[in-house]
């Protein structure tokens, strides 16, 4: 093409401006009417022949617009855009080399960009990652998936082939594959092949990354869907968990009852075995006697009333001393102490000793404020079986708070005040004739409640369970304990204890006046029912469990220990220490609590081996269990 341009521009000054078009009509020449068909490419001979021709007529105007203009005065012709293409090629080649350097260079990194991309693909296309994304089910499927995602990056065995942008970009003048130097066109086409190869490798990396991103997005969407489904199912599962928790608590309660029944059964078996052994081993002889029909009868119990041995005793076997009550009985004792003063048998005749109008009105106002605070307080029972009884006491407080206190006569005002004021209010009046009997009754009621609960816990578990079931269903005649079911069986086991319990319950209800209101009788009945329920079934939430925190150097009675418990136990609570075979080896007594745990001391040692060699028996995995009755 350059040769053609040189030949063409040699005689440019002698050329007439005539436009030659391919497929133009034939030209009639004078010499033999020569017909010339013009070709797209004009040769030098054709131009010479055209110069020698003589046209018959000159057109007034050119047939078409001229293609070439006259050459400049220099006499040389050129295409100025050829050098611009060469410059652009050089710039593009330099930019491509810069891109390669950036892709292959480390740039303050341990590896180049391509190496880091390949490491990323290699990490996230491992069998464990593919299984986690749900792409494959077996490690053997990993090579097939790699070939499917990026065939240009993996060989036939599925191993990663790291692409390299290392093909040489030829320049004009460089030797080609056959040894022939490249010109502008061949260098341009060869560079295009190199660029296409680089693009193919980068596209392979991009395709693999896109596939992994799509897989991760799909896995993310699946997890979000599962999360939404789980959030929808959570409320129902929480309700189901609550139901199962209640069932678990009931099962623990039933398990505790079964343990007590089993212990009672074992005691009966041991007693029968001891009696049998005594009969077998202590015989003295064998005698034959004549059989006679003799009517036999059972000796009746002593019909006389039990007499206390000390003036301080409430009833025989129950001394008038301070008794610690469990926290579950606090609301019921509070309801008993809220019984109006006019309902007590010892205080009703002393109603005229109440103070005058001003002091009495102040006492009534203070009492009503206390009742209002109690009504606004949230209902809460430490044991679920006592919830209904607590609600009944709450209704009793509302009835007392609604009683009127408005009369013109002082005697009527005192009568209304005695129907509102409780024992705690009488302790603040100035008259000792009314204050001292109220204080004595307050102390005796507290001692009697503790004695009732202690006596009920000594009765056989099976009998206590029957009484508690009847008390919970409100089918037990609480005021008349001689009518309680299985009382005869209980008397056979512990005659004196049952008589003490019967007398104690009778004394409890004798403290009320015969004309006492229903509020007072209900509060007294609810306390006895609560004692029956607490004595029959322990609350599983009171179970204490834990382990030894620090192993002692020696294990002796009175030795201090550090324990880790699930809840704080009242000081004095006895805990059992079990070994690996679930055998009780010692009992521990809770002494105190601090920031580092529970401080306890050794109460009894049941296994002598633990005292001789504590390091061989004790370890921090041993279980500690007990019941918090504080």
């Amino acid at each position: 093409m350059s040769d053609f341009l040189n030949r063409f521009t040699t005689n440019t000054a002698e050329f007439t401006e005539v436009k030659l078009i391919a497929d133009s009509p034939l030209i009639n020449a004078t010499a033999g009417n020569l017909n010339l068909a013009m070709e797209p490419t004009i040769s030098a001979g054709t131009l010479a022949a055209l110069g020698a021709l003589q046209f018959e007529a000159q057109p007034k105007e050119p047939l078409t617009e001229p293609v070439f203009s006259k050459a400049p005065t220099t006499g040389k012709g050129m295409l100025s855009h050829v050098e611009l293409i060469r410059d652009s090629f050089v710039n593009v080649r330099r930019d491509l080399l810069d891109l390669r350097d950036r892709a292959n260079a480390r740039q303050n990194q341990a590896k180049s960009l391509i190496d880091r991309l390949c490491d990323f693909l290699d990490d996230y296309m491992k069998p464990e990652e593919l299984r986690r994304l749900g792409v494959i089910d077996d490690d053997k499927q990993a090579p097939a998936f790699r070939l499917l995602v990026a065939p240009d990056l993996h060989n036939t065995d599925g191993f990663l082939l790291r692409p390299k942008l290392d093909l040489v970009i030829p320049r004009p003048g460089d030797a080609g594959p056959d040894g022939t130097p490249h010109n502008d066109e061949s260098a341009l086409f060869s560079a295009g092949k190199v660029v296409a190869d680089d693009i193919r490798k980068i596209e392979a990396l991009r395709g693999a990354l896109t596939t992994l991103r799509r897989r991760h997005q799909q896995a993310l969407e699946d997890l979000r869907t599962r999360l939404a489904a789980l959030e929808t199912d959570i409320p129902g599962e929480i309700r189901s968990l609550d139901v199962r928790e209640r069932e678990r608590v009931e099962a623990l309660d039933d398990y505790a009852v079964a343990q007590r029944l089993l212990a009672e059964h074992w005691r009966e078996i041991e007693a029968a075995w001891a009696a049998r052994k005594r009969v077998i081993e202590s015989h003295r002889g064998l005698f034959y006697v004549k059989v006679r029909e003799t009517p036999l009868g059972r000796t009746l119990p002593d019909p006389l009333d039990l007499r206390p041995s000390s003036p301080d005793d409430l009833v025989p076997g129950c001394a008038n001393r301070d008794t610690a009550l469990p926290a579950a009985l606090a609301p019921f004792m509070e309801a008993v102490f809220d019984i109006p003063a006019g309902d007590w048998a010892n205080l009703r005749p002393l109603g005229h000793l109440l103070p005058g109008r001003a002091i009495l009105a102040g006492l009534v106002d203070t009492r009503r404020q206390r009742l209002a605070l109690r009504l606004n307080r949230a209902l809460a029972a430490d044991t679920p079986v006592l919830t209904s009884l607590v609600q009944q006491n709450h209704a009793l407080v509302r009835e007392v708070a609604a009683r009127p206190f408005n009369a013109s006569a002082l005697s009527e005002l005192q009568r209304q005040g005695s129907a509102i004021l409780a024992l705690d209010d009488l302790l603040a009046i100035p008259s000792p004739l009314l204050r001292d009997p109220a204080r004595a009754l307050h102390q005796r009621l507290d001692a009697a409640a503790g004695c009732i609960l202690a006596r009920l816990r000594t009765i056989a578990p099976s009998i206590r369970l029957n009484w508690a079931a009847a008390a919970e269903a409100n089918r037990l005649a609480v005021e008349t304990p001689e009518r309680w079911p299985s009382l005869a069986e209980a008397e056979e086991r512990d005659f004196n204890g049952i008589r003490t319990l019967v007398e104690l319950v009778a004394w409890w209800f004798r403290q009320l006046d015969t004309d006492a209101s229903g509020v007072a009788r209900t509060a007294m009945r609810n306390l006895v029912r609560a004692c029956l329920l607490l004595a029959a079934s322990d609350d599983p939430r009171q179970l204490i469990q834990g382990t030894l925190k620090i192993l002692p150097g020696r294990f002796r009675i009175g030795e201090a220990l550090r324990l880790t418990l699930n809840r704080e136990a009242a000081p004095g609570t006895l805990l059992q220490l079990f070994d690996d075979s679930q055998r009780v080896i010692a009992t521990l007594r809770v002494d105190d609590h601090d920031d580092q745990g529970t401080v306890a001391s050794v109460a009894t040692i049941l296994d002598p081996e633990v005292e001789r060699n504590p390091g061989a028996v004790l370890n921090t995995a041993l279980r500690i269990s007990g019941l918090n009755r504080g």
Side-chain angles (χ1 to χ4, degrees), residues 88-142:
S88 299
F89 173 75
V90 173
N91 294 334
V92 169
R93 183 178 182 278
R94 183 174 61 252
D95 294 340
L96 290 176
L97 292 177
D98 291 341
L99 287 176
R100 282 187 170 187
D101 292 340
R102 291 185 180 181
N104 294 324
R106 295 187 178 181
Q107 296 181 357
N108 299 327
Q109 298 287 340
K111 295 181 180 180
S112 65
L113 177 60
I114 293 180
D115 289 336
R116 282 184 282 137
L117 287 177
C118 292
D119 291 341
F120 178 81
L121 292 174
D122 197 15
D123 291 339
Y124 279 88
M125 296 185 78
K126 289 180 179 179
E128 54 269 18
E129 288 291 338
L130 297 178
R131 285 198 310 271
R132 187 178 62 82
L133 292 176
V135 177
I136 63 174
D137 299 327
D138 190 3
D139 293 350
K140 298 179 180 179
Q141 301 176 7

Side-chain angles (χ1 to χ4, degrees), residues 533-544:
L533 293 175
L534 287 178
S537 60
D538 296 320
D539 188 2
R541 291 179 297 180
Q542 295 178 344
L543 293 177
I544 301 174

